[in-house]
């Protein structure tokens, strides 16, 4: 018996089992997340609706009273088109991803300075989600350099002021079926504003 060959075969089988296990864990966690959110009341708004969080918590588990949110536009780019538009070369992108740009207008309707962390806002689909890409979002929003904490994208808004932020999400091919990735332009997408007790979603595609 070829011991060397048997050892390679065992190692190969172990690697396959690890890959399968990791995939199953990711699938379970993703579906568990959607099931948990499905347990809460949903409110779905359309693009250009002005939405308040009310007393509902965002993904950072904080309440943000006195702020309104409006999705004004969205674009999906091939990675090279995005790089050309914003002249971004230092951040590596490749054809395994598409770039989603969501234009979000945030308004402080109070008489006080207000702030919010942008890191936690996610985009969700029927069976997938995407988290904010910190580096790309910071790179293309020049006003961040003076109005936002670089370490966690905390945006400060003066009384009765607004900012329009281009939120960037990487749509990785690994998260989608081949057919769905090819047809992302037709995919329904939602900006998840709050999660509980009311799950507020803004449909923008």
């Amino acid at each position: 018996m070829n011991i060397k060959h048997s050892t390679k075969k065992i190692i190969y089988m172990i690697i396959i089992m690890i890959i399968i296990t990791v995939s199953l864990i990711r699938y379970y966690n993703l579906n568990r997340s959607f099931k948990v959110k499905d347990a809460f009341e949903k409110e779905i708004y359309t693009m250009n609706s002005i939405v308040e969080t009310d007393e509902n918590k965002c993904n950072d588990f904080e309440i943000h009273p006195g702020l309104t949110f409006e999705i004004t536009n969205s674009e999906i780019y091939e990675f090279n088109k995005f790089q050309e538009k914003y002249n971004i070369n230092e951040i590596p992108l490749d054809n395994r991803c598409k770039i989603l740009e969501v234009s979000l207008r945030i308004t402080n309707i109070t008489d006080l300075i207000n702030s919010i962390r942008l890191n936690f806002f996610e985009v969700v689909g029927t069976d997938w989600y995407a988290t904010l890409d910190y580096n790309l979002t910071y790179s293309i929003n020049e006003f961040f350099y003076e109005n936002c904490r670089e370490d966690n994208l905390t945006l400060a808004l003066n009384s009765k002021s607004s900012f329009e932020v281009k939120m960037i999400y990487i749509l990785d091919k690994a998260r989608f079926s081949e057919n769905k990735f090819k047809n992302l332009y037709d995919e329904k997408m939602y900006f998840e504003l709050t999660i509980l007790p009311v799950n507020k979603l803004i449909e923008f595609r």
Side-chain angles (χ1 to χ4, degrees):
M1 182 177 179
N2 191 327
I3 297 177
K4 188 175 181 180
H5 177 74
S6 298
T7 302
K8 284 185 177 180
K9 187 175 180 180
I10 291 170
I11 293 173
Y12 176 76
M13 290 177 66
I14 290 172
I15 292 172
I16 294 295
M17 289 177 67
I18 290 172
I19 292 172
I20 292 172
T21 302
V22 170
S23 299
L24 288 172
I25 290 172
R26 286 182 62 190
Y27 178 82
Y28 171 77
N29 286 335
L30 176 62
N31 281 275
R32 182 178 62 176
S33 173
F34 280 105
K35 285 178 180 178
V36 168
K37 289 177 181 178
D38 284 343
F40 298 104
E41 178 187 347
K42 284 188 186 300
E43 291 181 5
I44 299 178
Y45 300 84
T46 56
M47 191 164 71
N48 297 312
S49 297
I50 297 174
V51 187
E52 293 186 54
T53 60
D54 299 321
E55 295 301 311
N56 301 293
K57 293 183 179 181
C58 298
N59 270 314
D60 60 355
F61 290 97
E62 297 290 337
I63 297 173
H64 298 285
L67 297 176
T68 66
F69 300 81
E70 178 187 4
I71 303 294
T72 60
N73 191 42
S74 71
E75 300 285 348
I76 295 178
Y77 297 95
E78 300 296 328
F79 76 102
N80 55 330
K81 297 297 184 183
F82 181 82
Q83 286 180 314
E84 289 172 9
K85 179 178 179 178
Y86 291 108
N87 193 28
I88 293 176
N89 296 309
E90 69 275 11
I91 301 173
L93 298 170
D94 58 41
N95 59 8
R96 291 175 299 178
C97 67
K98 297 182 190 295
I99 308 299
L100 172 64
E101 176 184 294
V102 179
S103 297
L104 173 68
R105 180 178 293 129
I106 307 174
T107 302
N108 177 12
I109 60 175
T110 72
D111 294 322
L112 303 171
I113 294 176
N114 212 334
S115 65
I116 188 168
R117 291 179 67 181
L118 301 177
N119 309 48
F120 297 98
F121 288 113
E122 297 181 351
V123 166
V124 299
T126 52
D127 56 0
W128 60 271
Y129 69 95
T131 56
L132 186 73
D133 187 277
Y134 167 85
N135 290 320
L136 291 175
T137 298
Y138 190 82
S139 295
I140 70 168
N141 290 280
E142 292 185 3
F143 66 83
F144 274 4
Y145 307 154
E146 295 181 0
N147 299 287
C148 188
R149 281 182 54 184
E150 185 177 358
D151 59 339
N152 61 13
L153 290 186
T154 296
L155 180 64
L157 294 96
N158 290 323
S159 171
K160 306 298 194 246
S161 68
S162 295
F163 277 117
E164 185 154 322
V165 183
K166 293 186 184 298
M167 309 276 278
I168 303 302
Y169 299 85
I170 293 181
L171 305 179
D172 194 322
K173 188 175 182 179
R175 287 181 173 266
F176 302 90
S177 67
E178 184 175 348
N179 184 59
K180 183 171 285 190
F181 189 74
K182 286 180 180 178
N183 297 286
L184 277 176
Y185 297 95
D186 300 322
E187 178 78 4
K188 278 193 173 184
M189 299 182 184
Y190 304 86
F191 182 85
E192 190 166 57
L193 181 59
T194 66
I195 56 172
L196 56 89
V198 178
N199 186 201
K200 290 193 175 190
L201 303 161
I202 303 175
E203 183 178 346
F204 61 87
R205 294 194 72 85

